[in-house]
């Protein structure tokens, strides 16, 4: 499966062209003619010459003043009125100038680096994370947005919240004074303008009482309730909604986890199932593929925001998802200290159950989130058990279109010689996730060329080994997207870096070409150029001798990672003392 990842965007701004004075819509007055040397034919000496000079100065000034007044009177009144569209253009222009100079702008909400405060003067992040507490503040309506993060914008609403799918908007009635409409695209790649432009935008409309002096839409006191959209589905008080999009890169398993499921876990797990998911750009296949995960996070049916025309009413809503990075849950940023191990436990619970057991549980009672339990660690073997136990299981993921292992049979043989029992898997889009989970949750090691399929290391047990084969030009992406997250999960991580002569690009461009020897030259042209060369057109031939050394390192790690290995190491240290 093809991996699409983070992109670096460079903004180029042309210099502001000088404004030509002659292009002004107010014509400049012609300069006055120089005064004549003599007036009324006189030569003038004494006092008469002084009066003549005074008249020569005052007359042109009077003419200029009369001409200016006449010109202003002739200007149409419409020329002095700025239309709403013109006002918006002016505001956008101010935003561009603020962005150029890196100065804050009151209008530039989408690029603001500060959170909007709640009515109770709490940071918006505290409301989103559930850290605001209860009391009188919890009973007040609230509307705020946290736009301080590089990867996502998140808005929080509390009060009488109602959806309006016909206009892709959410209405907050009795909104706090000073509330203004907000727009947000609830997807976690805010930094990537090209993909964010494809995400449906949600407009949050505050509706306030008349005479409140706020910027929101007003509703009169008489018949105020009749002006509100009637609730077709009223959700229980205390059950909030979380609104997010499954558009963008959904369809690529890496982004489905990194941009979707893990941020959803970060945002929603604190509700312990008492939360409703409202999804933009909803896909039925997505629910079928990840339903086992979703039912661990919510006790309610998913709402399709675009096609469910009913008005859903909530007491609380979060629009957008929190994200901590690539395939990571940072415990320091979680109110309850949860980490990526807790997300992995949720995966294990969802995909380790048999279909019959799932059906029986569903028939017996509605789904209730269970206490998270970590997947089983690798078994501890005693020295006399090694002869009885099968060789450690190693799963090899292969690719068919690009980044293909050209000498796969030799790789399989090398794995056997190193003492592994290799299992080759050719993943397809329709491969069920429970089957992949079953293969990896029982595996001791995994070998895969850099690509989206490496994401499945999330199914592996702590203490297992991920061995990633890194083609030419993909070093940074391999480490950032998979290497570091795997280590944070508690896996042993090894890299096999493909040498220039082992890449198919050497035959295409030459082993000493810039493409092969200095990938930074191609990478500097942008992500898509790099992807076209190093991800889409490259296959690899692994050096078996060098690869065998990594396999032996993997075996050593597995031996030391077991509880028995650690106990034996401690006993040896104690005996040495």
């Amino acid at each position: 499966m093809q991996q699409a990842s983070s992109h670096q965007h460079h903004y180029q701004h042309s210099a502001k062209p000088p404004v030509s004075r002659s292009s002004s819509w107010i014509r400049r007055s012609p300069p006055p003619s120089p005064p004549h040397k003599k007036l009324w034919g006189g030569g003038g000496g004494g006092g008469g010459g002084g009066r003549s000079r005074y008249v020569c100065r005052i007359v042109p000034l009077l003419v200029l003043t009369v001409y200016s007044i006449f010109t202003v009177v002739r200007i149409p009144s419409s020329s002095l009125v700025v239309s709403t569209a013109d006002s918006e253009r002016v505001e956008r222009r101010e935003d561009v100038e603020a962005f150029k100079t890196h100065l804050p702008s009151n209008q530039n909400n989408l690029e603001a680096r500060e959170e909007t405060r709640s009515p109770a003067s709490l940071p918006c992040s505290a409301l989103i994370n559930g850290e605001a507490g209860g009391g009188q503040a919890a009973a007040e309506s609230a509307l705020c947005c946290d736009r301080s993060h590089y990867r996502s914008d998140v808005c929080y609403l509390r009060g009488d919240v109602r959806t309006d799918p016909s206009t892709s908007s959410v209405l907050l009635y009795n909104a706090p004074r000073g509330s203004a409409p907000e727009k947000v695209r609830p997807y976690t790649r805010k930094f990537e303008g090209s993909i964010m432009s494809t995400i449906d935008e949600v407009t949050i409309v505050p509706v306030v009482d008349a005479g409140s002096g706020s910027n929101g839409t007003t509703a009169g006191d008489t018949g105020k309730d009749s002006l509100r959209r009637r609730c077709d589905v009223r959700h229980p008080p205390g059950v909030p909604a979380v609104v997010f999009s499954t558009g963008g890169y959904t369809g690529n398993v890496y982004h489905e986890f990194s941009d979707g499921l893990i941020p959803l876990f970060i945002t929603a797990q604190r509700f312990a199932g008492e939360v409703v998911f409202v999804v933009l750009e909803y896909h039925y296949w997505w629910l079928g593929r990840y339903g086992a995960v979703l039912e661990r996070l919510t006790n309610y049916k998913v709402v399709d925001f675009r096609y469910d025309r009913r008005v859903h009413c909530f007491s609380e809503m979060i629009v957008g998802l929190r994200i901590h990075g690539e395939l990571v849950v940072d415990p320091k940023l979680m109110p309850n200290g949860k980490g990526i191990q807790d997300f992995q436990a949720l995966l294990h619970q969802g995909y380790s159950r048999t279909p019959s057991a799932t059906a029986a549980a569903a028939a017996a009672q509605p789904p209730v989130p269970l206490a998270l339990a970590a997947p089983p660690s690798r078994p501890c073997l005693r020295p006399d058990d090694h002869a009885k136990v099968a060789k450690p299981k190693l799963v090899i993921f292969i690719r068919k279109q690009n980044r293909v292992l050209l000498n796969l049979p030799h790789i399989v043989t090398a794995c056997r010689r190193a003492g592994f029992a290799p299992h080759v898997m050719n993943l397809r889009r329709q491969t069920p996730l429970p089957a992949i989970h079953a293969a990896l949750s029982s595996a001791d090691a995994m070998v895969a060329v850099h690509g989206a399929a490496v994401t499945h290391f999330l199914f592996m047990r702590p203490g297992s080994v991920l061995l990633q084969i890194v083609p030419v030009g993909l070093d940074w992406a391999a480490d950032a997207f998979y290497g570091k997250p795997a280590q944070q999960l508690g896996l042993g991580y090894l890299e096999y870096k493909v040498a220039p002569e082992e890449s198919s690009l050497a035959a295409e461009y030459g082993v000493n070409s810039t493409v092969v020897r200095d990938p930074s030259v191609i990478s500097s042209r942008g992500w898509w150029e790099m992807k076209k060369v190093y991800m889409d057109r490259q296959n690899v031939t692994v050096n078996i001798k060098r690869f065998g050394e990594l396999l032996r390192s993997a075996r050593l790690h597995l031996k030391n990672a077991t509880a028995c290995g650690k106990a034996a190491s401690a006993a040896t240290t104690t005996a040495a003392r």
Side-chain angles (χ1 to χ4, degrees):
M1 282 178 275
Q2 187 171 322
Q3 157 99 38
S5 338
S6 311
H7 316 310
Q8 297 286 338
H9 293 282
H10 303 280
Y11 295 88
Q12 298 177 354
H13 301 287
S14 58
K16 187 175 181 181
V19 179
S20 174
R21 295 181 182 273
S22 62
S23 63
S24 173
W25 52 268
I26 299 180
R27 292 185 301 166
R28 295 188 55 175
S29 303
S33 300
H36 298 290
K37 294 181 179 178
K38 295 181 180 181
L39 292 179
W40 304 300
R51 286 192 297 271
S52 299
R53 286 193 298 272
Y54 177 78
V55 171
C56 289
R57 293 176 180 175
I58 197 64
V59 169
L61 292 176
L62 291 174
V63 172
L64 178 60
T65 302
V66 172
Y67 183 81
S68 301
I69 295 173
F70 176 74
T71 303
V72 172
V73 170
R74 288 180 56 196
I75 299 174
S77 59
S78 60
S79 300
L80 302 177
V81 178
V82 180
S83 66
T84 303
D86 292 335
S87 176
E88 292 175 353
R89 284 195 292 270
V90 171
E91 291 176 356
R92 291 194 199 99
R93 182 63 184 172
E94 292 175 354
D95 292 349
V96 171
E97 293 303 317
F99 184 76
K100 284 183 182 179
T101 57
H102 303 283
L103 295 176
S105 168
N106 292 332
Q107 303 295 335
N108 196 3
N109 290 330
L110 291 180
E111 292 295 334
R113 288 293 177 252
E114 294 182 358
E115 299 179 11
T116 56
R117 292 272 175 167
S118 70
S121 298
L122 290 169
C124 195
S125 58
L127 296 171
I128 296 168
N129 297 336
E131 300 171 326
Q136 182 179 357
E140 299 177 358
S141 62
L143 170 57
C144 63
C145 293
D146 181 2
R147 302 185 187 273
S148 63
H149 295 268
Y150 175 67
R151 295 195 53 155
S152 67
D153 291 331
V154 185
C155 293
Y156 176 84
L157 299 82
R158 184 176 62 216
D160 187 353
V161 183
R162 309 190 184 195
T163 63
D164 184 3
S166 62
T167 59
S168 295
S169 60
V170 174
L171 307 175
L172 175 62
Y173 291 97
N174 295 333
R177 293 187 176 187
S179 299
E182 301 277 1
K183 293 181 180 293
V184 61
R185 299 181 190 270
Y187 191 60
T188 57
R189 298 193 78 81
K190 169 184 168 182
F191 60 92
E192 194 173 344
S194 59
I195 200 65
M196 290 300 289
S197 64
T198 69
I199 303 298
D200 288 351
E201 186 176 63
V202 176
T203 301
I204 301 172
V205 181
V207 184
V208 299
D209 292 338
S212 63
S214 70
N215 297 326
T217 304
T218 60
D221 294 331
T222 303
K224 180 170 56 179
D225 291 338
S226 64
L227 297 177
R228 301 186 182 186
R229 293 186 62 84
R230 180 178 59 85
C231 292
D232 298 315
V233 180
R234 187 177 293 277
H235 295 272
V239 177
V242 171
V243 182
F244 61 96
S245 173
T246 55
Y249 289 123
T250 300
N252 177 291
V253 67
Y254 169 80
H255 290 285
E256 287 167 3
F257 277 89
S258 186
D259 301 339
L261 292 176
I262 293 179
L264 183 61
F265 172 81
I266 291 172
T267 307
Q269 59 82 31
R270 70 180 179 88
F271 297 112
E274 289 302 298
V275 60
V276 177
F277 294 153
V278 179
V279 181
L280 283 74
E281 300 166 90
Y282 174 87
H283 304 285
Y284 284 101
W285 65 262
W286 176 82
L287 181 61
R289 187 169 180 81
Y290 296 111
V293 178
L294 298 176
E295 71 177 14
R296 315 306 300 177
L297 293 172
T298 178
N299 299 332
Y300 302 90
K301 291 183 178 180
V302 172
V303 176
D304 182 353
F305 187 75
R306 179 185 291 177
Y307 293 107
D308 188 339
R309 313 309 293 179
R310 297 175 298 174
V311 175
H312 290 259
C313 298
F314 300 92
S315 59
E316 189 178 7
M317 178 179 285
I318 297 173
V319 183
L321 299 177
R322 288 291 200 201
I323 183 170
H324 295 163
E326 309 294 340
L327 298 177
V328 65
V329 179
D330 189 344
K332 296 189 295 294
L333 300 178
M334 297 289 286
N336 50 16
K338 299 288 186 181
I340 188 64
Q341 291 80 5
D342 297 283
F343 176 75
Q344 186 194 48
L346 181 144
L347 296 178
H348 177 70
Q349 289 180 346
Y351 291 121
S352 63
R353 295 174 298 169
T354 61
S356 57
T358 303
Q365 58 183 9
V368 177
L370 301 177
L372 297 181
S377 300
R378 298 184 63 255
C380 172
L381 303 177
R382 295 186 298 275
D384 56 347
D385 289 340
H386 282 283
K388 306 175 185 177
V389 177
K391 295 179 179 180
K393 178 181 176 181
L394 182 146
V395 176
I396 304 174
F397 282 164
I398 62 173
R399 303 174 62 92
K400 289 295 187 180
Q401 295 182 350
N402 48 46
R403 284 162 279 159
V404 176
L405 292 172
L406 298 177
N407 58 341
L408 177 62
H410 296 88
I411 292 173
V412 173
T413 300
C415 293
R416 289 197 180 101
R417 288 177 178 173
F420 288 99
H423 298 255
V424 177
M425 289 193 71
N426 178 21
L427 297 185
R428 296 179 174 86
R429 184 63 194 171
Q430 61 271 25
T431 303
L433 279 180
I436 302 174
H437 177 269
L440 287 178
S441 62
S442 61
D444 300 286
M446 167 181 159
V447 172
V449 181
H450 173 75
V454 184
T455 308
H456 295 109
F457 76 80
L458 291 168
F459 294 156
M460 299 183 70
R461 298 171 294 179
S464 302
V465 176
L466 169 62
L467 199 164
Q468 183 176 197
I469 298 175
V470 184
V472 170
L474 300 178
D475 294 21
W476 175 84
D479 183 59
F481 300 153
Y482 303 116
K484 286 185 173 61
Q487 294 175 75
Q488 291 174 352
L489 189 59
L491 272 60
Y493 177 66
L494 298 171
E495 275 188 358
Y496 178 92
K497 294 188 177 181
V498 174
E501 63 274 10
E502 298 169 10
S503 170
S504 62
L505 298 176
E508 183 175 355
Y509 295 97
V511 70
N512 293 318
S513 64
T514 302
V515 170
V516 176
R517 293 292 179 179
D518 191 4
S520 63
V521 174
I522 303 298
S523 300
S524 64
R525 300 176 185 174
W527 168 260
W528 293 108
E529 191 68 23
M530 185 274 287
K531 177 181 179 296
K532 181 173 65 175
V533 174
Y534 297 110
M535 300 186 74
D536 297 345
R537 300 174 60 177
Q538 182 174 193
N539 297 319
V540 298
T541 302
V542 170
N543 182 297
I544 296 302
K545 180 179 179 181
R546 202 155 58 87
F547 185 70
E549 294 174 355
L550 277 182
L551 291 174
R552 286 190 287 274
S553 297
R555 283 299 309 269
L556 181 62
H557 172 85
L558 293 175
K559 179 180 179 181
N560 294 334
T562 60
C564 288
K566 293 179 181 179
S569 176
T572 302
T573 303
T574 303
R577 291 177 180 176

